[in-house]
Amino acid sequence: LKQVFNKDKTFRPKRKFEPGTQRFELHKQAQASLNSGLDLKAAVQLPSGEDQNDWVAVHVVDFFNRINLIYGTICEFCTEKTCPVMSGGPKYEYRWQDDLKYKKPTALPAPQYMNLLMDWIEGQINNENIFPTRVSKCE
């Protein structure tokens, strides 16, 4: 387990919502509905009176955290040697382009691709212009 939670690996700590904020309450509500075995369609419906952007933000962050945990459990088995290509099966190859270092779609080993992808997603989630965290406290 030490390798799964090694900060040098792709695993990142979960992004948390500040207790007492509206997003924290929405997160608790989302967790309760997802853990209750309810119909998935009903579980992701916007609760009455809630802001759609906050609801979507909570689910995006939760999805990122879950994917991060899943990838953290398999990353030791997918090395540059065992996974030299980021693919979606024999017919699909994913290439990285970020317009910074990789200006054109570039074939990369799967671990390198995943590290870049997780860094990019984390950057989006931490961007205050996309996912503002300054939200009002619940009353």
Side-chain angles (χ1 to χ4, degrees):
L1 269 179
K2 270 180 155 178
Q3 291 178 336
V4 172
F5 298 104
N6 182 343
K7 285 192 171 196
D8 296 330
K9 299 275 186 181
T10 299
F11 177 80
R12 291 158 175 80
K14 289 174 99 174
R15 178 140 188 257
K16 297 183 179 169
F17 299 101
E18 185 180 333
T21 64
Q22 183 176 5
R23 285 199 182 160
F24 180 78
E25 296 304 317
L26 286 172
H27 173 71
K28 286 191 335 189
Q29 186 174 353
Q31 287 298 110
S33 64
L34 289 173
N35 293 334
S36 67
L38 294 176
D39 175 37
L40 186 57
K41 184 177 180 181
V44 297
Q45 282 184 331
L46 177 67
S48 177
E50 298 297 344
D51 179 77
Q52 182 176 9
N53 291 328
D54 285 338
W55 187 241
V56 170
V58 164
H59 285 282
V60 166
V61 171
D62 185 56
F63 184 69
F64 172 74
N65 288 335
R66 289 171 191 256
I67 293 298
N68 196 28
L69 279 173
I70 291 168
Y71 182 65
T73 63
I74 64 167
C75 67
E76 70 181 274
F77 303 105
C78 184
T79 65
E80 289 191 12
K81 186 176 181 179
T82 61
C83 302
V85 175
M86 182 64 187
S87 69
K91 293 184 178 182
Y92 301 98
E93 179 180 325
Y94 297 96
R95 294 175 179 222
W96 186 259
Q97 179 178 357
D98 58 15
D99 295 326
L100 299 172
K101 182 177 178 184
Y102 300 92
K103 302 209 184 274
K104 294 182 179 182
T106 306
L108 298 171
Q112 188 178 354
Y113 182 97
M114 287 302 299
N115 281 329
L116 290 167
L117 177 62
M118 298 303 275
D119 287 346
W120 181 83
I121 294 169
E122 191 171 34
Q124 300 299 301
I125 289 173
N126 291 329
N127 183 335
E128 284 288 325
N129 294 320
I130 300 171
F131 289 91
T133 56
R134 295 182 212 13
V135 292
S136 61
K137 298 270 185 186
C138 290
E139 294 176 8

